[in-house]
Amino acid sequence: MPTGSVTPGPLLGGGPGEPLVVPLDAESIHSLISDFKRVLSRIELVEEVGDGYVVLRVPRRFGILRLGSRPMRLDMHVYRLENALVVLLGRGADSLVLVVSIADVGEGVHIVVSGGGSGRLSPAAGSLVRGVREAIAGVVEEAWPTVSLSGADDELAAAGVQDAALVFYDSFTPVKNVLVEAAYRVIAALGPGEYLAEIQGMLHEYYYLARLVIRGRSVTGVYAEMDGHSVRGEDALKTAWKPPSHRVRLLAWALGGQRHRVRVNAPQPVYEEGRHAVYRLWPGGRPEYGGLTVSTYIVGDGYEYAVVDPAGPAEWSQAVRGLVGDMEQLRLIVAGDASASTYPLLRELYAASPAQVLAPPYAWAQLAGLLDQPDRVSAAPLTGGRVRLGRSELHVIPASCCGGMLSLYDQASRTLFTGPVLGFLLPPGLPYAGDPVLRRALRAYLRSTLTPQALGRWLKTVQGLEVERLAPRYGPLVEGVERVKSLLGEAAELVAEGEAE
């Protein structure tokens, strides 16, 4: 792949009558052809395309005689479905339907164009189907990046991201060349621009990392680390195009201080040690000031994952997929209380994976009635228990006498996921943490979640564990053994004050 070259195109097979096979995801294909007027304008039969209409040249016939062609202005309606685009063209008794099927098969997308017509549009249907297929192939080919390396951008790729906005986060299965396909996905999703993309391998046994500088529609810098050594430029293009893992993670940042309309939430590592890791998803801000910031946590051990407190919006499912890779590896979703039944994220993850849902008994009844496979929802025992994840164990801790809440303790990372308990408590060390008005507010918050007796039992249980961080659903992450002990002690004092009133 020499510098300055146009790399081999994206289409893999796809002769007449066969699907177009493209190394992209379905959403990127939708982005490329979302302006269907642009697709139609590339077709020879189409004379004019406007908002809601198209002028199509159709055959003129008299019996079996063909008498040339004539233009017809047709109303046009385009509908996007999950796995297809449907285009309706018509005027009176004359109509034509086009269906562009977009099937993500895991290793690229298969695109199939079909259709048919009635009345005077019937003779034009076959030609229009072929024209749309060729036009989509042209749009796909045009978005394929070129390679034009520069030494400065090779060095920029080696240095990595400094201070830039994350604008893309996903995972994918490479088909031919992971480097060019990664650039292709970023450009297809975000449009031409200046980006630093990072490709991360997903095997614990073999380390792989590559970075690309993208300018416009060209890859201008490449750097890679693998097999204990690093390469850049032409050497990286020749040796790093095939990662050792089946899937890779892909991140991209906007370069040059450019402002970008896209902002994404990527899971932030909380703990990473060998095959075990904990990540946090949250909307950002100043976590040290507490409050009701919503957080969702992801625990991974080997190639199995659990999502704890999926309290975020539905679009966070993209970040979970980017981290997990294959959603078949999402094994467990833990709901801390009955409010989980209102979470859009829980429903998205439940639909996209085979994960079991673990909930307190009171929440189990609601979730089992709302989700379409109630046998995948189980109630946590009132006495607690343990759940295996990979080679590790997660400890289930009941948080109320009536089975309404639960917490989760990850022994491998010494992290306590408190659920709704302790969410509003401030981390120790803030100058106003001892304010009497705030203290009354904190006491009222604790009493609104659990009775003093139930909270006292919960505190007695968790204070007997080796906890290095508290990960609440609402509020800041608290890290450090002494800070955790201080906060739990503060909670115990507030409980005692509540019982004394």
Side-chain angles (χ1 to χ4, degrees), residues 303-322:
Y303 300 103
E304 295 187 6
Y305 292 85
V307 172
V308 183
D309 276 328
E315 53 265 28
W316 283 9
S317 63
Q318 179 74 10
V320 175
R321 191 186 79 166

Side-chain angles (χ1 to χ4, degrees), residues 250-371:
L250 175 59
L251 301 83
W253 295 265
L255 288 179
Q258 61 180 322
R259 302 182 65 181
H260 206 282
R261 62 181 177 83
V262 179
R263 291 291 185 273
V264 299
N265 277 323
Q268 302 298 310
V270 172
Y271 172 91
E272 291 180 305
E273 186 66 39
R275 56 185 285 121
H276 197 85
V278 177
Y279 300 87
R280 180 191 186 199
L281 264 174
W282 62 294
R286 297 292 300 277
E288 70 271 24
Y289 286 99
L292 297 181
T293 299
V294 176
S295 296
T296 290
Y297 301 93
I298 305 160
V299 184
D301 191 87
Y303 300 103
E304 295 187 6
Y305 292 85
V307 172
V308 183
D309 276 328
E315 53 265 28
W316 283 9
S317 63
Q318 179 74 10
V320 175
R321 191 186 79 166
L323 176 70
V324 172
D326 186 351
M327 290 299 283
E328 293 291 321
Q329 296 173 169
L330 180 57
R331 301 301 174 87
L332 181 67
I333 300 172
V334 181
D337 64 1
S339 65
S341 62
T342 66
Y343 297 159
L345 178 58
L346 184 147
R347 293 172 184 253
E348 287 285 328
L349 297 176
Y350 181 83
S353 74
Q356 293 287 320
V357 177
L358 180 67
Y362 182 76
W364 166 82
Q366 290 180 289
L367 288 169
L370 287 172
L371 300 176

Side-chain angles (χ1 to χ4, degrees), residues 82-105:
E82 183 177 357
N83 298 313
L85 280 180
V86 178
V87 183
L88 304 180
L89 307 177
R91 182 181 177 187
D94 306 308
S95 64
L96 194 150
V97 179
L98 291 169
V99 179
V100 182
S101 299
I102 304 169
D104 193 334
V105 298

Side-chain angles (χ1 to χ4, degrees), residues 28-93:
S28 295
I29 294 294
H30 276 293
S31 298
L32 284 174
I33 65 174
S34 60
D35 182 3
F36 208 74
K37 292 188 298 182
R38 184 167 70 98
V39 175
L40 290 176
S41 67
R42 305 167 71 101
I43 301 172
E44 186 176 352
L45 289 177
V46 175
E47 291 194 348
E48 182 182 346
V49 185
D51 292 331
Y53 76 91
V54 60
V55 178
L56 189 66
R57 182 158 290 280
V58 300
R60 186 196 299 269
R61 288 185 173 182
F62 183 77
I64 62 172
L65 299 177
R66 304 192 66 160
L67 304 175
S69 61
R70 67 186 182 90
M72 286 185 64
R73 179 181 169 119
L74 307 169
D75 295 331
M76 178 175 66
H77 301 279
V78 181
Y79 302 95
R80 174 176 170 173
L81 307 180
E82 183 177 357
N83 298 313
L85 280 180
V86 178
V87 183
L88 304 180
L89 307 177
R91 182 181 177 187

Side-chain angles (χ1 to χ4, degrees), residues 115 158 238 249 256 310 315 382:
K238 294 174 182 177
R249 296 190 187 105
E315 53 265 28
L382 287 174

